[in-house]
Amino acid sequence: MYLQDSLDKVNSNQHIVEVFGLGYVGFPLAVRLAISGHKVCGIDTDSKKIESLKNNSLMTSHHELAEAFSSSIKSGNFIPVTAPQKSDIPKIGIVCVPTPIPDGKNNSETFVYSAVNNFLKTSKKGDVLILESSVRIGTTDEVIKLVKDRGYQVGVDFGVGFCPERIDPLNQKWKLENIPRVIYTSDDLTFEISKKIYSAVNNSNLYRVSSPKVAEAVKSFENTFRLVNISLVNELAVLCDKLGISVNEVIKAASTKPFGFMPFTSSAGAGGHCVPKDPTFLSDTAKQIGMNFSSIENALEINSRIPQYVAESIKTILDKNNLPQSVLVCGLAYKPDIEDMRDSPGFKIANNLASQNIQTSAYDPYYDGNLERKYLIENGLDKLNFKIIASLDSKNFGCLCIVQHHTKTKNQLGEIYTKSLVPFIYDCQNQLSFNPKSKTILKGLGSNSLSSDGFK
């Protein structure tokens, strides 16, 4: 009766959606729901972020949502707050908080459990709780226990679901509204409520699975697939280095096969929030039942070695060509055109270079000095062993190491190369095209070293 009543009220728009976590996942979700007519409370424990939102100040990667966000604020459908509130009408809580890599002090689900408990403190019969955060296998079952401990009957008077996020910031083809989603729900009524809510998100394109463990394994496996293939192509790049052939040419040629092959490009390694972390949920679960998920372990180990390999390659070329022992690392964000610096290959390369007594500096147009402590925590560092510079100035450096190609730096990087403004460029993503007129040595991960004097 309770969940049926909630479904009726959701269908008549007499409900509130509480989105916990207003980051890369939660904020676009909250805006999308709000502009579709849902009353949304966007909840984040960071009071500075809430104040920024109230002042219409958004993260760079959310600027395309500025107009929709402003409209949702003016309409009163989006209310940024630091904590949930009690309500007489049904509440649907959606948890989109970070799940960091465990550090020995806190487990990955610390923020998830905090958000769940905060929701439950203000919840009532008929409410629904949906997890979107990436979590280790078994977490949703533990959340169900927390709900039951509050005296609710899950699937009868309280709904629980897990709909793992799928989002790729700034992807112009696959956006929130057209990405299919996997979902587990505790009962049919909760599934119907979820379909109504997600009709505003992705037109209710939901693939329902039989258990929370299946949904959790799906999310971990998706990013395991990416990690394994990224690690595979990067190890191929190392082999191509040693063979003196181009990894890009190998990949391009292999891509002519119309079946059974999906191209991945070489890079300094997988970074960010999901790819380095989510596969550990599968491998840890395997260990708990006495199994070694060796392909994940190998991929993680390969991925961790690539930044060191890049740094050592740079050192070798600097020494061989008697170049100044100074490097500027360009690109600290883990992917193009966003300000996310979590588990970044750029930080790892810079640290490895500094550990070889190379004078190391770094530049990223999205770097915010006010967030330096946050960056250190996200990259497992106590302090920076390299200098952050405020502009892309390659003067007085022996090498420019390009880890990330941002749109903001694309033209300047091309100019530095064509005008030979630095003796040596190491392009981790092989995006610069060889120019025989340039006097700059150009080397990429898995590509030939080339310069106007024929250096190989």
Side-chain angles (χ1 to χ4, degrees):
M1 180 64 185
Y2 289 101
L3 289 174
Q4 180 61 60
D5 184 56
S6 293
L7 176 59
D8 293 340
K9 289 185 176 178
V10 167
N11 283 329
S12 60
N13 206 22
Q14 301 177 63
H15 66 283
I16 293 174
V17 181
E18 293 182 334
V19 177
F20 290 80
L22 298 178
Y24 295 96
V25 175
F27 182 76
L29 174 71
V31 171
R32 183 92 184 154
L33 289 168
I35 62 174
S36 299
H38 296 273
K39 181 73 72 174
V40 178
C41 285
I43 302 168
D44 202 292
T45 56
D46 185 344
S47 58
K48 291 182 179 179
K49 179 183 290 186
I50 295 300
E51 286 303 312
S52 294
L53 291 175
K54 289 180 178 178
N55 293 322
N56 274 327
S57 177
L58 306 182
M59 293 192 301
T60 302
S61 56
H62 289 158
H63 280 176
E64 64 179 24
L65 297 171
E67 185 176 344
F69 171 67
S70 179
S71 174
S72 66
I73 288 285
K74 289 177 182 177
S75 69
N77 282 346
F78 191 129
I79 306 171
V81 292
T82 57
Q85 303 293 320
K86 290 186 177 181
S87 174
D88 293 332
I89 58 177
K91 294 202 306 178
I92 291 84
I94 304 180
V95 176
C96 305
V97 296
T99 48
I101 297 174
D103 59 5
K105 297 178 183 178
N106 299 304
N107 66 35
S108 187
E109 288 76 35
T110 297
F111 301 132
V112 171
Y113 291 138
S114 177
V116 168
N117 284 319
N118 283 336
F119 180 76
L120 292 176
K121 286 176 184 177
T122 59
S123 62
K124 62 189 176 302
K125 290 183 178 180
D127 288 348
V128 172
L129 179 62
I130 300 171
L131 304 184
E132 282 207 9
S133 300
S134 302
V135 294
R136 62 181 174 82
I137 298 173
T139 300
T140 307
D141 283 333
E142 292 176 9
V143 168
I144 289 173
K145 290 178 183 177
L146 291 175
V147 175
K148 289 180 177 179
D149 287 344
R150 295 273 179 165
Y152 298 115
Q153 298 181 66
V154 173
V156 178
D157 60 23
F158 199 101
V160 174
F162 178 56
C163 186
E165 55 88 1
R166 279 178 177 166
I167 192 167
D168 188 10
L170 301 180
N171 189 319
Q172 296 305 305
K173 179 180 179 181
W174 294 106
K175 301 183 178 183
L176 202 61
E177 60 266 27
N178 64 350
I179 299 176
R181 301 285 290 275
V182 167
I183 191 170
Y184 156 80
T185 59
S186 56
D187 57 276
D188 292 341
L189 287 172
T190 296
F191 182 57
E192 293 302 317
I193 291 171
S194 300
K195 284 199 296 184
K196 183 64 179 180
I197 298 300
Y198 282 93
S199 66
V201 180
N202 71 341
N203 200 30
S204 300
N205 190 352
L206 303 175
Y207 183 88
R208 190 179 182 186
V209 296
S210 61
S211 75
K213 285 187 174 68
V214 170
E216 290 161 345
V218 166
K219 176 58 180 175
S220 294
F221 181 66
E222 289 172 3
N223 283 320
T224 296
F225 178 86
R226 291 175 62 196
L227 172 72
V228 169
N229 281 282
I230 289 169
S231 297
L232 173 64
V233 77
N234 281 341
E235 194 163 35
L236 174 65
V238 174
L239 175 63
C240 289
D241 264 349
K242 298 181 184 303
L243 294 175
I245 61 176
S246 168
V247 68
N248 278 5
E249 187 177 359
V250 172
I251 295 168
K252 185 176 181 180
S255 297
T256 61
K257 184 178 180 181
F259 57 90
F261 182 79
M262 178 182 292
F264 281 74
T265 56
S266 58
S267 66
H273 177 52
C274 294
V275 178
K277 177 202 65 183
D278 290 1
T280 65
F281 295 151
L282 278 182
S283 61
D284 288 347
T285 298
K287 289 174 184 176
Q288 290 171 11
I289 60 174
M291 171 185 166
N292 182 35
F293 211 138
S294 56
S295 57
I296 294 178
E297 300 299 330
N298 290 338
L300 287 168
E301 200 247 333
I302 292 166
N303 191 56
S304 69
R305 290 201 315 255
I306 296 301
Q308 181 179 351
Y309 176 82
V310 169
E312 290 175 350
S313 298
I314 290 172
K315 172 66 172 172
T316 298
I317 295 174
L318 289 176
D319 291 344
K320 186 172 183 178
N321 291 271
N322 197 27
L323 298 176
Q325 299 285 307
S326 56
V327 178
L328 173 59
V329 175
C330 183
L332 292 175
Y334 88 92
K335 67 181 297 182
D337 298 337
I338 65 173
E339 64 278 357
D340 195 340
M341 312 252 166
R342 287 176 289 184
D343 202 23
S344 161
F347 279 86
K348 295 180 177 68
I349 290 172
N351 271 331
N352 272 295
L353 289 167
S355 69
Q356 298 183 74
N357 296 318
I358 294 173
Q359 181 185 334
T360 307
S361 298
Y363 169 74
D364 193 298
Y366 296 101
Y367 192 92
D368 183 348
N370 297 318
L371 301 178
E372 187 167 295
R373 183 60 193 159
K374 175 176 177 284
Y375 299 150
L376 290 173
I377 293 171
E378 291 173 348
N379 287 280
L381 302 173
D382 295 322
K383 63 178 181 178
L384 291 180
N385 296 324
F386 52 91
K387 179 182 178 182
I388 301 294
I389 62 175
S391 61
L392 180 49
D393 184 356
S394 61
K395 287 188 300 184
N396 303 319
F397 288 100
C399 172
L400 172 62
C401 174
I402 305 172
V403 181
Q404 200 58 257
H405 285 264
H406 295 299
T407 301
K408 288 182 177 181
T409 58
K410 180 180 180 180
N411 291 338
Q412 194 173 356
L413 289 172
E415 185 177 86
I416 289 171
Y417 176 48
T418 57
K419 293 185 177 181
S420 308
L421 299 180
V422 67
F424 165 38
I425 292 178
Y426 191 104
D427 184 0
C428 296
Q429 297 178 330
N430 291 310
Q431 290 195 23
L432 290 179
S433 298
F434 173 63
N435 183 345
K437 295 181 180 179
S438 175
K439 296 179 181 178
T440 295
I441 297 169
L442 177 63
K443 174 73 176 76
L445 177 61
S447 70
N448 292 329
S449 301
L450 298 167
S451 72
S452 59
D453 62 1
F455 172 79
K456 295 285 185 180

